[in-house]
Amino acid sequence: MERARCSRSPYVLAFVGLAWLIYLVRREKGGFLPWLFPARLWMHKSTSADLWLFVMGRLLSVAGLFSQFGVAPLVSVWIAGLISSVTGADTGLAPGLGPMSLALLLWVIVDFAAYWSHRLLHATSVIWPLHAVHHSAEVLTPLTAYR
């Protein structure tokens, strides 16, 4: 899943924080770490596959650096040019459209594209097998988000 390549650190931190609160409310016995990392879950073959896919994804993400530092700025300039041509502004940005507004606009465009790409992965029988691994986890851990 292309969108999954975004930084998941906030999600992992949120997961651990939420788990801590649940642990405190339930008054679980045996310590937080054994409760958070039960061996039956973390030693499962699905979790091993998640770890392998995570490592492979990180290694392959080096190619994604081109996208982050090469393609993204070009798309930003292109969008700014489109806005400029529609509004008639010659500054490269529409009047009153600052960097934060442009970033928000680009975020909406990327999110829209990611949604429809994901829908296409589900709707196209030829590419579904490539995407099916994303939905094949037998147990769920924070690593599963990287599938």
Side-chain angles (χ1 to χ4, degrees):
M1 179 175 164
E2 191 60 36
R3 198 163 175 200
R5 294 185 191 261
C6 297
S7 175
R8 295 285 184 181
S9 298
Y11 299 114
V12 172
L13 292 174
F15 165 79
V16 172
L18 183 60
W20 175 252
L21 290 174
I22 292 169
Y23 175 78
L24 291 176
V25 168
R26 290 173 132 189
R27 298 177 188 192
E28 296 284 341
K29 304 273 189 251
F32 178 64
L33 289 179
W35 178 79
L36 184 63
F37 300 107
R40 65 178 164 67
L41 179 74
W42 291 95
M43 300 307 284
H44 194 278
K45 66 179 181 173
S46 181
T47 304
S48 297
D50 288 342
L51 181 59
W52 186 83
L53 288 167
F54 170 76
V55 169
M56 292 305 295
R58 295 301 102 193
L59 292 174
L60 293 173
S61 69
V62 171
L65 290 175
F66 172 73
S67 172
Q68 293 293 319
F69 296 108
V71 177
L74 293 175
V75 170
S76 299
V77 169
W78 177 67
I79 295 292
L82 284 176
I83 293 169
S84 178
S85 67
V86 168
T87 62
D90 59 358
T91 61
L93 291 175
L97 183 64
M100 292 302 291
S101 299
L102 181 58
L104 179 62
L105 178 63
L106 290 171
W107 176 74
V108 169
I109 291 168
V110 167
D111 195 56
F112 182 80
Y115 169 79
W116 283 104
S117 296
H118 195 223
R119 289 278 310 256
L120 185 65
L121 289 169
H122 283 259
T124 309
S125 61
V126 174
I127 56 178
W128 167 251
L130 299 173
H131 181 66
V133 70
H134 168 70
H135 296 281
S136 65
E138 296 175 37
V139 297
L140 299 177
T141 69
L143 287 173
T144 308
Y146 291 97
R147 279 184 175 234

